[in-house]
């Protein structure tokens, strides 16, 4: 059997797709290797959400083409969002690629490999596939934390976003399927954290059960008792319910961490973005969340440089961030994506102004984050031990830090076990990270 090397780019939702492909290929008898240069066939699962992601995907592909020319690998397969988005154009322009597979066709990866000499192209125009508990995932994450994708696609149609074109409309998995997957993944492994993901997890079940069902799902996952932490990611401010808030309060295994991308706070910007929310409703929701959930950390994201964003609009956003003081904040420069409704909008913002606005927000958030972290000095926190680096330093996370996107805790201690929870006294604070001494 051929040796397969897989590179997974993009978000955790894409990573789950890569894990599904790896599980399927292992089941078929293929040997998966860690280094692509050691493989016979290289698969790159691409991202094409924004220009930076597309550029990274293309750079990775060209790197693989170079390895192929040097005869270090024999074949290259391009999978995922880039293939889905550019379809025939990609096939015509990249003659060195031996196979293409779209986001809705992952279960055909074995066919692609078996037909590699014919340069197969399997890309459904309307992706409909969503994996379930019968798919044998092989985890890329360390194993003590896993991602559980509860839905595929999106029905929000934000004006700047091409996800519906890449992933299709909203498709929720049944509750029982999700529970069965968690039970299956927990066999033979101690799971410390379940990260619940989807394009908009607050809209989970709307298609399947004709009602928002995130609260019900979280309660049933918590009842399984398979992980100490359950983290809900990718929520939408327009779709929160009182039932969901109550569930987070009552189920202590659900992290007091809320991922709440607002994208902007100016009403005219929100309307042009088609966010289906307003400044008033966002402020009301944040106030309610902080009032009802003690010790809450909110992570948000905002977009700067959206078409038509004036200096006045931007200052409104800057003042809002200064007032609300998000515990965690990511900022993105608007990427003008062909195929998205906003691509045709007038009043596109020059790149130098976008970059200047990004810098102003990040400097503000650095100060907010630094002050937030200082409040933990001298306190003892529960920390999940994530990894040990080459120098023997352990790194962990608090309940208020999601993997890969937030800061962490440098741990001073001996014989710590990755995947375990420890009590650590915070002895120093950095801009985004903490330093803890294990008792």
């Amino acid at each position: 059997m051929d040796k397969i090397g897989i590179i997974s780019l993009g978000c955790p939702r894409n990573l789950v797709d890569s894990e599904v492909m790896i599980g399927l290929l292992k089941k078929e008898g293929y040997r998966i290797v860690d280094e692509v240069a050691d493989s016979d066939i290289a698969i790159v699962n691409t991202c094409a959400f924004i220009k930076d992601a597309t550029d990274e995907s293309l750079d990775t592909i060209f790197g693989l083409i170079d390895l192929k020319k040097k005869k270090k690998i024999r074949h290259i397969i391009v999978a995922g969002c880039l293939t889905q988005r550019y379809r025939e154009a990609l096939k015509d322009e990249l003659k060195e690629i031996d196979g293409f597979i779209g986001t809705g066709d992952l279960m055909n990866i074995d066919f692609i490999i078996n037909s590699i000499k014919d340069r197969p192209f399997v890309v459904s125009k309307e992706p409909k596939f969503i994996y379930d508990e019968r798919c044998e995932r092989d985890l890329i994450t360390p194993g003590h934390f896993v991602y559980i994708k509860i839905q595929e696609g999106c029905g929000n149609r934000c004006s700047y976003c091409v996800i519906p074109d890449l992933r299709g409309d909203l498709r929720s998995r049944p509750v029982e399927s999700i529970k069965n997957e968690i039970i299956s993944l927990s066999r033979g492994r101690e799971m410390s954290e379940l990260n619940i993901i989807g394009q908009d997890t607050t809209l989970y079940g709307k298609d399947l059960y004709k009602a928002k069902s995130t609260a019900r799902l979280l309660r049933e996952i918590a009842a399984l008792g398979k992980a100490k932490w359950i983290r809900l990611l990718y929520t939408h401010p327009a779709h929160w319910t009182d039932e969901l808030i109550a569930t987070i309060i009552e189920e202590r295994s659900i992290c007091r961490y809320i991922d709440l991308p607002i994208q902007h706070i100016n009403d005219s910007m929100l309307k042009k973005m088609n966010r289906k929310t307003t400044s008033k409703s966002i402020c009301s929701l944040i106030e309610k969340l902080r009032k009802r959930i003690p010790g809450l950390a909110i992570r948000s994201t905002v977009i700067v440089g959206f078409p038509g964003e004036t200096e006045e609009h931007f200052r409104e956003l800057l003042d809002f961030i200064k007032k609300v003081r998000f515990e965690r904040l990511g900022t993105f420069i608007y990427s003008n994506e062909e195929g998205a409704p906003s691509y045709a909008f007038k009043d596109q913002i020059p790149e130098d102004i976008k970059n200047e606005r990004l810098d102003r927000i990040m400097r503000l958030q650095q100060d907010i984050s630094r002050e937030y972290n200082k409040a933990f000095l001298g306190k003892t926190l529960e920390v999940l031990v994530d990894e040990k680096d080459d120098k023997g330093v352990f790194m962990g996370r608090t309940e208020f830090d999601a993997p890969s996107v937030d800061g962490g805790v440098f741990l001073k201690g001996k014989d710590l076990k990755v995947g375990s929870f420890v009590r650590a006294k915070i002895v120093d604070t950095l801009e985004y990270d903490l330093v803890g001494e294990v008792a």
Side-chain angles (χ1 to χ4, degrees):
M1 276 288 192
D2 291 313
K3 292 185 292 183
I4 310 290
I6 294 186
I7 299 173
S8 188
L9 303 175
C11 66
R13 296 177 290 265
N14 220 34
L15 182 141
V16 171
D17 290 346
S18 297
E19 292 176 336
V20 169
M21 283 194 288
I22 292 172
L24 177 61
L25 292 172
K26 279 192 172 182
K27 184 179 179 182
E28 295 298 323
Y30 294 97
R31 179 184 167 195
I32 307 298
V33 295
D34 293 332
E35 296 294 331
V36 168
D38 296 330
S39 66
D40 300 307
I41 300 173
I43 301 173
V44 54
N45 192 16
T46 58
C47 180
F49 175 49
I50 57 176
K51 182 180 183 300
D52 286 348
T54 299
D55 289 345
E56 182 186 16
S57 294
L58 289 172
D59 286 345
T60 303
I61 291 169
F62 291 136
L64 293 176
I65 290 173
D66 188 52
L67 288 177
K68 185 180 178 182
K69 288 178 179 178
K70 294 176 180 177
K71 300 188 183 304
K72 292 188 176 180
I73 57 177
R74 288 192 288 115
H75 299 293
I76 303 169
I77 296 171
V78 177
C81 293
L82 191 74
T83 302
Q84 191 68 41
R85 185 171 181 184
Y86 295 107
R87 298 190 185 98
E88 299 292 342
L90 204 65
K91 183 181 180 182
D92 293 339
E93 293 176 15
L94 295 175
K95 301 296 186 182
E96 301 89 346
I97 304 305
D98 302 288
F100 301 85
I101 185 168
T103 58
D105 308 280
L106 300 182
M107 299 306 287
N108 290 311
I109 187 62
D110 184 42
F111 166 79
I112 294 286
I113 293 173
N114 287 328
S115 309
I116 200 110
K117 292 180 180 178
D118 300 323
R119 201 167 181 251
F121 183 84
V122 181
V123 185
S124 300
K125 289 186 177 180
E126 295 182 11
K128 296 184 183 301
F129 168 76
I130 180 168
Y131 86 104
D132 58 30
E133 76 278 16
R134 295 168 294 181
C135 297
E136 296 187 23
R137 286 173 60 189
D138 194 273
L139 299 182
I140 296 174
T141 59
H144 64 275
F145 73 84
V146 298
Y147 294 102
I148 305 295
K149 184 156 62 167
I150 63 173
Q151 61 192 175
E152 187 58 271
C154 188
N156 287 321
R157 303 285 171 174
C158 299
S159 66
Y160 51 80
C161 185
V162 294
I163 288 294
D165 294 331
L166 303 182
R167 295 280 176 174
D169 289 325
L170 174 67
R171 306 184 300 285
S172 301
R173 295 174 57 193
V175 169
E176 289 304 315
S177 171
I178 295 166
K179 288 167 60 179
N180 287 337
E181 180 188 19
I182 293 169
I183 292 168
S184 177
L185 288 172
S186 67
R187 293 192 185 106
R189 107 170 19 98
E190 291 184 15
M191 292 194 301
S192 305
E193 179 183 26
L194 297 171
N195 292 278
I196 310 302
I197 61 172
Q199 197 60 41
D200 173 6
T201 55
T202 36
L203 209 55
Y204 167 77
K206 184 71 173 177
D207 57 318
L208 197 60
Y209 303 116
K210 310 307 176 188
K212 299 171 190 174
S213 306
T214 315
R216 170 197 167 190
L217 175 66
L218 288 177
R219 288 185 186 276
E220 297 209 25
I221 291 175
L224 294 175
K226 297 299 183 182
K228 188 169 185 177
W229 285 356
I230 300 169
R231 188 181 304 276
L232 181 66
L233 299 174
Y234 308 114
T235 73
H236 193 299
H239 301 141
W240 274 78
T241 64
D242 286 339
E243 183 188 7
L244 179 54
I245 296 172
T247 299
I248 295 172
I249 295 168
E250 294 163 15
E251 298 289 352
R252 193 56 192 93
S253 59
I254 302 175
C255 294
R256 268 43 174 174
Y257 171 101
I258 287 175
D259 181 21
L260 188 74
I262 64 165
Q263 311 306 9
H264 216 285
I265 198 61
N266 174 267
D267 280 333
S268 64
M269 288 291 98
L270 291 169
K271 185 176 181 180
K272 286 182 72 175
M273 289 178 173
N274 196 33
R275 289 291 289 170
K276 301 180 179 68
T277 188
T278 64
S279 174
K280 183 178 179 180
S281 65
I282 290 171
C283 291
S284 176
L285 175 61
I286 292 172
E287 182 181 357
K288 181 189 291 186
L289 290 170
R290 284 186 165 160
K291 183 177 181 180
R292 295 189 59 187
I293 306 174
L296 176 68
I298 299 178
R299 175 181 178 81
S300 192
T301 59
V302 296
I303 296 172
V304 297
F306 189 80
E309 184 190 53
T310 65
E311 178 63 20
E312 184 180 355
H313 294 151
F314 175 73
R315 284 183 181 174
E316 183 180 347
L317 177 61
L318 202 65
D319 290 343
F320 176 76
I321 293 170
K322 196 178 299 183
K323 177 184 176 182
V324 172
R325 304 180 72 81
F326 291 111
E327 288 79 8
R328 308 282 185 260
L329 183 70
T331 307
F332 294 91
I333 288 176
Y334 168 73
S335 181
N336 198 28
E337 296 299 317
E338 189 173 1
S342 61
Y343 184 75
F345 286 4
K346 297 178 180 179
D347 300 323
Q348 297 285 335
I349 307 299
E351 292 300 317
D352 59 335
I353 294 179
K354 292 181 186 178
N355 284 302
E356 185 262 344
R357 289 175 181 175
L358 172 71
D359 184 60
R360 285 162 68 184
I361 284 188
M362 292 315 297
R363 280 189 279 115
L364 169 61
Q365 186 58 31
Q366 284 173 353
D367 292 338
I368 293 171
S369 178
R370 190 182 295 111
E371 290 176 23
Y372 174 73
N373 278 352
K374 281 182 180 179
F376 289 113
L377 194 62
K379 294 183 178 180
T380 299
L381 303 176
E382 185 173 51
V383 178
L384 171 59
V385 183
D386 262 341
E387 61 181 340
K388 181 182 180 181
D389 68 17
D390 295 337
K391 297 179 181 179
V393 177
F394 287 92
M395 192 73 185
R397 288 180 291 112
T398 70
E399 177 182 358
F400 315 115
D401 301 297
S404 301
V405 294
D406 296 317
V409 184
F410 292 97
L411 292 168
K412 296 180 179 180
K414 295 181 179 180
D415 302 322
L416 303 181
K417 180 184 175 185
V418 171
S420 67
F421 291 90
V422 297
R423 302 286 294 175
K425 183 178 180 180
I426 304 305
V427 296
D428 196 7
T429 63
L430 307 171
E431 202 166 74
Y432 294 111
D433 302 305
L434 302 172
V435 180
E437 205 167 70
V438 179

